[in-house]
Amino acid sequence: MFAIGVFSESRILDMQPFRTHTGKVAPLYRDNVDTDQIIPKQFLKRIERTGFGEFLFFDWRRSPDGRPDLSFVLNDHRYDSASILVTGKNFGCGSSREHAVWALLDFGFRAIIAPSFADIFANNCVKNGVLTVTLGEHQVAEIVGHANSTPDYEITVDLEKCMIQDKRRISEHFHIDEFTRHCLLEGLDNIGLTLEHEPQITAFEARRSRTSTARDPEWR
Amino acid sequence: MDKPDVINHQRTLLHKIWEEHLVCEATGEQPLIYVDLHLVHEVTSPQAFAGLRAANRRVRRPERTVATVDHNIPTEPRGTPINDPIAVRQIQALQQNCTEFGIPLFDMDSSDQGIVHVIGPELGLTQPGMTIVCGDSHTTTHGAFGALAFGIGTSEVEHVLATQCLGQRKPKNMLIAVSGSLPEGVGAKDLALGVIRQIGTDGANGHVIEYAGTAITALSMEGRMTLCNMSIEAGAKAAMMAPDDTTFAYVKDRRFAPRGREWDESVERWRMLPSDPGAKYDTVAQISGSSMAPFVTWGTNPGMVVRVDESVPEISDLKMDRDAATRMLEYMDLKPGTKMEDICVDRVFIGSCTNSRIEDLRAAARVARGYRVAGTVRAIVVPGSQAVKRAAEQEGLHEIFKNSGFEWRESGCSMCLGMNPDILQPGERCASTSNRNFEGRQGRGGRTHLVSPVMAAAAAIAGHFTDVRNWRFQ
């Protein structure tokens, strides 16, 4: 489907552009799915960006004895190799842990569709080439319905045209801010972009140190 | 978009800080905001430093970057070996990164170590008018000083390390006006839960909240920090309130606070920060401070709040999906109609970046004094920092807690998120002064009820939730 490089060594080279993606849709139709559920805290001690996929939704995917909980959607073989997650409102709320996005990406998700997303989570997605698609509650419910009832239900997310489409019924435009879209389409390294403004940053620092009492902390 | 501002020049606190920190706004890019203070901890930073190293980048302003260890460290006496090798590796990674990149670190053995959102203010690093970020969602805490402070992900941590700036969409501005005054026995934590109950867990998404009104100006700095801290649980990007004499009195003479003439100049500048009269907000909410009560959460998100004298809600009364409500009740092992005061607890946690400051500990100790923790309860008190711990010990609070049967621990995040050995066992029920009652947050299968420090102390002694307004202080 797609390869994940060794982020800790060469993340910048591996940030994948997102243009158009077609994939199977998995429905996790719950509101307020928090990042503690997406990746529980016991897995946050790793110092790498990779290898989090197996711990995605760990407490929901596995019973306390470690066996897969077959009632959980991502253990349903109908959704094996799904790469688009459709879910409820305020997805990704709570902790700022980017590990949540690394886990989703490592598991194979490239796009998430929901009525709304928590701010920090949505930012973290952009930085990792994961597209968050915000749609109305009715449209999300419709996609969930199809994903539940249609075997191997697939959607195409076209970021160039800002459209999501399935083979028959759904064809929806979605809104995304232009800068986010540009970053995803090009797989841009935001740090590189900001460093191009180095002269402005230096000028800002000089200007501020003259006109304000905001000084650097004096480390003694 | 910004036209109304240009016409009437009446700016909010947010707009003033934003404009003061705007580095540039290139066509087709997000506005670039300068970061005054970058707080770093062990959990969300290692991958950021690895990214810097891979790209051969340096930390642009190490003197404006401050690190500590708080999330995964044990709260057993310092010097006790850490049994978890992965936690050790993460702590060592931070030590190495700080050495390599020249970043000041308040390490495990430092007398200034503590929860990152406790030590920033107590060292005087947090000041009005600043922009502050940290790879931690509860960075909103620092907004209590009239600063713009928000949590960021690890990629953004790397961005700030490398550039001291962050590209940001200009957030919307929400005014929450809290009228009246909080009743006796009701504190900032109850107000925070009351706000989330009213506006919902996504009620402030995309917004920076500004709190105002008589109930806000009456709050101590500790109370203001508690309120701003919890605002992320309503989805807020950040939360803030106007700096005033209470703020300045707190900051004055702290280690990194300006001194002498610089102090006077700073205060003069800070007095210009409050929102101009008539400044416009994108969203406004009104809250009655006097209608607040001691609150307890019953569900698995911080919006599931009832007064302590109420009962677990009926599913039909909840504005949520029936299956979701059923699931929540099952996880919490609660039945609708059960009186909150009839719910027994196994554990009590007093601590976290929400409620581990000296005022919180004083309030809890006042409840505990002269009583014993119920035989069925295990209760721990975890000061937010070494400085809080010292202050509490100087006042003898630790003796009150220990004599009452509370465990007195070293500073850290502890059982708020259970990254260290302080966790709930499956099925255990906890009255917790922390900020999140998510499933498994304090330990898999653990059941968390969020409460204020006085409510937590009272629950520890009674063995069940009890209305602290009726407490007989000894």
Side-chain angles (χ1 to χ4, degrees):
Chain A
M1 190 165 42
F2 66 98
I4 298 171
V6 182
F7 275 136
S8 57
E9 293 306 316
S10 56
R11 184 179 73 88
I12 295 138
L13 301 176
D14 288 0
M15 163 88 179
Q16 295 217 343
F18 190 111
R19 297 203 174 90
T20 291
H21 174 82
T22 300
K24 200 192 279 185
V25 182
L28 177 65
Y29 203 30
R30 296 177 187 180
D31 290 342
N32 295 309
V33 173
D34 58 75
T35 52
D36 272 84
Q37 303 319 313
I38 300 173
I39 183 85
K41 75 255 173 188
Q42 62 267 37
F43 308 114
L44 304 186
K45 292 171 197 164
R46 296 166 53 84
I47 58 174
E48 298 82 14
R49 281 178 184 253
T50 49
F52 288 98
E54 62 178 302
F55 310 123
L56 178 73
F57 294 115
F58 187 84
D59 288 357
W60 287 350
R61 266 166 71 202
R62 291 184 182 277
S63 309
D65 63 8
R67 279 184 301 194
D69 177 348
L70 296 178
S71 67
F72 185 61
V73 62
L74 296 186
N75 289 328
D76 184 334
H77 290 304
R78 291 182 298 160
Y79 303 112
D80 283 355
S81 76
S83 60
I84 298 172
L85 187 70
V86 58
T87 183
K89 69 169 185 168
N90 202 27
F91 186 80
C93 60
S95 161
S96 62
R97 56 187 74 168
E98 196 163 316
H99 313 65
V101 180
W102 300 333
L104 286 158
L105 188 58
D106 198 29
F107 191 80
F109 288 112
R110 290 243 44 206
I112 308 166
I113 302 169
S116 63
F117 294 90
D119 291 342
I120 304 175
F121 175 81
N123 275 338
N124 289 342
C125 283
V126 181
K127 312 288 182 200
N128 290 278
V130 174
L131 175 63
T132 56
V133 179
T134 308
L135 289 179
E137 304 230 11
H138 289 297
Q139 293 153 319
V140 170
E142 196 184 346
I143 295 170
V144 169
H146 294 321
N148 277 328
S149 60
T150 312
D152 295 323
Y153 179 67
E154 284 195 343
I155 273 184
T156 297
V157 184
D158 184 340
L159 184 58
E160 285 171 292
K161 295 186 187 136
C162 291
M163 292 289 291
I164 69 159
Q165 283 176 304
D166 67 6
K167 290 198 183 89
R168 282 170 296 180
R169 296 151 288 205
I170 288 183
S171 177
E172 296 283 354
H173 185 265
F174 63 87
H175 176 78
I176 182 166
D177 88 61
E178 197 42 49
F179 178 70
T180 303
R181 179 170 167 271
H182 176 65
C183 288
L184 285 165
L185 284 173
E186 303 301 327
L188 276 186
D189 165 24
N190 271 238
I191 298 176
L193 209 60
T194 297
L195 286 174
E196 286 175 21
H197 299 301
E198 167 68 36
Q200 283 105 316
I201 302 171
T202 303
F204 176 90
E205 286 173 332
R207 189 167 74 237
R208 229 164 148 252
S209 68
R210 278 199 308 273
T211 58
S212 137
T213 53
R215 304 241 185 277
D216 289 346
E218 280 179 40
W219 293 98
R220 295 173 276 253
Chain B
M1 278 286 273
D2 289 336
K3 236 177 176 177
D5 288 350
V6 175
I7 292 166
N8 65 26
H9 293 291
Q10 286 154 334
R11 299 181 302 161
T12 64
L13 170 58
L14 167 65
H15 294 149
K16 291 179 190 185
I17 300 175
W18 182 271
E19 285 168 20
E20 167 86 16
H21 291 83
L22 187 62
V23 173
C24 61
E25 205 167 352
T27 312
E29 290 179 28
Q30 290 179 319
L32 203 59
I33 294 296
Y34 195 78
V35 174
D36 290 324
L37 178 64
H38 185 189
L39 304 166
V40 171
H41 64 81
E42 76 276 24
V43 176
T44 58
S45 66
Q47 296 86 350
F49 285 109
L52 285 186
R53 217 173 270 124
N56 202 20
R57 286 168 178 153
R58 65 191 177 96
V59 174
R60 185 184 172 86
R61 302 300 300 274
E63 68 280 8
R64 286 189 176 269
T65 313
V66 184
T68 192
V69 282
D70 54 4
H71 278 64
N72 78 25
I73 60 169
T75 56
E76 300 296 333
R78 295 284 190 258
T80 313
I82 303 177
N83 291 325
D84 180 350
I86 318 176
V88 171
R89 191 163 149 251
Q90 200 169 50
I91 292 166
Q92 287 172 344
L94 183 65
Q95 292 164 342
Q96 283 158 9
N97 288 329
C98 287
T99 305
E100 182 180 338
F101 291 96
I103 294 169
L105 167 67
F106 297 112
D107 209 345
M108 285 270 287
D109 56 1
S110 165
S111 58
D112 294 312
Q113 180 275 343
I115 304 175
V116 70
H117 308 309
V118 175
I119 67 170
E122 86 189 359
L123 290 169
L125 288 163
T126 301
Q127 294 170 21
M130 277 186 162
T131 47
I132 302 171
V133 300
C134 174
D136 189 284
S137 59
H138 290 109
T139 309
T140 55
T141 309
H142 307 264
F145 291 79
L148 174 59
F150 53 91
I152 56 178
T154 297
S155 293
E156 290 178 315
V157 169
E158 185 180 336
H159 194 125
V160 177
L161 289 172
T163 69
Q164 203 58 31
C165 293
L166 208 51
Q168 286 289 304
R169 256 192 309 275
K170 193 171 179 180
K172 291 181 185 168
N173 210 175
M174 178 183 211
L175 176 69
I176 297 186
V178 189
S179 61
S181 54
L182 300 178
E184 188 66 30
V186 177
K189 178 62 164 289
D190 299 301
L191 177 56
L193 291 170
V195 167
I196 303 164
R197 175 161 101 147
Q198 182 164 325
I199 72 172
T201 51
D202 59 354
N205 277 18
H207 288 76
V208 169
I209 295 175
E210 180 181 336
Y211 292 102
T214 49
I216 301 301
T217 48
L219 288 175
S220 66
M221 286 317 295
E222 284 86 348
R224 294 178 191 189
M225 284 188 257
T226 299
L227 182 59
C228 288
N229 172 284
M230 286 289 287
S231 300
I232 179 70
E233 313 311 333
K237 166 109 191 155
M240 47 173 63
M241 54 264 291
D244 59 11
D245 289 339
T246 305
T247 321
F248 308 146
Y250 181 98
V251 177
K252 195 170 190 329
D253 296 330
R254 290 189 184 264
R255 191 185 315 168
F256 292 99
R259 287 172 198 282
R261 218 184 79 195
E262 269 199 4
W263 169 259
D264 297 334
E265 286 170 11
S266 298
V267 172
E268 200 177 318
R269 188 165 50 87
W270 294 340
R271 287 200 193 280
M272 310 290 283
L273 286 168
S275 298
D276 300 327
K280 298 276 188 294
Y281 296 84
D282 300 285
T283 312
V284 176
Q286 307 276 351
I287 292 203
S288 158
S290 42
S291 72
M292 294 292 116
F295 287 121
V296 185
T297 64
W298 61 267
T300 54
N301 74 53
M304 303 294 113
V305 174
V306 291
R307 293 198 319 259
V308 64
D309 54 7
E310 292 180 313
S311 301
V312 177
E314 298 294 335
I315 290 178
S316 54
D317 293 340
L318 292 167
K319 286 184 216 135
M320 65 187 289
D321 177 66
R322 203 182 165 81
D323 291 347
T326 307
R327 197 187 139 75
M328 224 178 241
L329 288 165
E330 269 172 21
Y331 182 87
M332 292 299 291
D333 191 28
L334 291 172
K335 290 193 173 52
T338 306
K339 285 193 171 130
M340 292 312 287
E341 292 195 83
D342 289 342
I343 298 172
C344 292
V345 299
D346 309 298
R347 305 285 295 268
V348 169
F349 170 58
I350 297 175
S352 87
C353 59
T354 310
N355 279 131
S356 65
R357 297 179 181 82
I358 189 69
E359 184 184 281
D360 301 315
L361 303 192
R362 280 181 196 138
R366 192 167 158 252
V367 170
R369 184 196 298 273
Y371 288 103
R372 289 288 303 171
V373 169
T376 50
V377 174
R378 184 175 171 198
I380 67 171
V381 182
V382 184
S385 68
Q386 289 295 303
V388 169
K389 181 166 183 272
R390 279 193 302 276
E393 288 176 354
Q394 240 160 26
E395 295 178 23
L397 303 184
H398 66 312
E399 293 298 345
I400 297 175
F401 284 122
K402 288 199 278 192
N403 290 340
S404 298
F406 289 85
E407 294 172 34
W408 179 247
R409 299 291 188 91
E410 296 291 333
S411 50
C413 299
S414 180
M415 205 194 268
C416 173
L417 84 167
M419 275 195 73
N420 74 347
D422 306 337
I423 55 169
L424 297 182
Q425 296 307 307
E428 279 189 326
R429 188 178 298 283
C430 180
S432 178
T433 66
S434 56
N435 39 58
R436 289 185 175 136
N437 50 352
F438 298 152
E439 280 181 35
R441 169 85 177 177
Q442 295 191 293
R444 185 169 185 167
R447 299 173 177 130
T448 304
H449 297 267
L450 304 177
V451 289
S452 70
V454 288
M455 284 287 290
I461 287 149
H464 55 83
F465 292 108
T466 184
D467 191 337
V468 77
R469 290 172 297 188
N470 304 326
W471 195 254
R472 292 174 58 176
F473 292 95
Q474 298 209 355

